[in-house]
Amino acid sequence: VVTVLARIADADLTKFAGSSDKGIESGKWYTDAALWAKENKILLNDAAFAGKGACKRSHMAMMIVRYLDNLGVSYTVPDVAVTIADRDKMTNEELHAFEVLTKLGIFKGKSNNVMDPDGLTTRAELAALMHRLHNVVK
């Protein structure tokens, strides 16, 4: 995820080459992008960063909003109510992220207005999210 976000941002990762940080394994294909994401406060909990594996949907949503904030992308969204059926399962930051991304058309959720914050982001969902995000950023 951090590698894709760095590429969409056209981030210069050369300054991170050979660098290391606690919590981010050095020498991996994703290390430079993870260091960039940490420096730019996109990672949620960098001490627990794992370069592989699934990402919770709520974590994905929060990272995307932090990414937009970091890039200075204006994401003024229409002041319309968003129905989120499982909002009681979310923190305030998670709810904010899902509301913003739903209004921008980046996050579609599951059926019946369920965002499934604790569910894992599938590869297909990741691809769709990154495509929609790219369209908003560019």
Side-chain angles (χ1 to χ4, degrees):
V1 172
V2 294
T3 302
V4 174
L5 293 177
R7 288 180 182 162
I8 294 172
D10 293 325
D12 179 8
L13 301 181
T14 58
K15 79 178 209 175
F16 300 103
S19 298
S20 63
D21 188 275
K22 69 176 182 132
I24 299 174
E25 193 172 353
S26 61
K28 298 295 182 183
W29 60 270
Y30 55 79
T31 300
D32 297 350
L35 293 169
W36 167 82
K38 179 180 180 180
E39 181 178 276
N40 289 288
K41 298 182 181 11
I42 295 167
L43 291 180
L44 303 179
N45 181 357
D46 49 50
F49 179 80
K52 306 179 236 182
C55 181
K56 284 175 47 172
R57 293 168 57 82
S58 60
H59 292 175
M60 180 70 65
M62 290 186 296
M63 284 194 307
I64 292 172
V65 168
R66 288 177 178 200
Y67 172 80
L68 291 171
D69 288 341
N70 177 268
L71 288 181
V73 173
S74 175
Y75 57 83
T76 304
V77 294
D79 192 20
V80 295
V82 174
T83 302
I84 297 178
D86 49 354
R87 66 188 314 118
D88 59 325
K89 296 179 182 178
M90 300 176 196
T91 66
N92 287 338
E93 186 180 5
E94 291 169 338
L95 180 59
H96 169 74
F98 280 117
E99 287 177 335
V100 166
L101 297 177
T102 299
K103 289 178 182 181
L104 289 174
I106 294 172
F107 221 102
K108 304 287 186 180
K110 306 268 182 173
S111 62
N112 299 321
N113 302 315
V114 172
M115 295 296 148
D116 189 21
D118 292 325
L120 300 178
T121 307
T122 67
R123 287 181 186 202
E125 290 168 340
L126 175 63
L129 287 168
M130 293 300 115
H131 175 73
R132 292 183 204 124
L133 175 64
H134 183 265
N135 290 335
V136 168
V137 171
K138 299 299 177 188

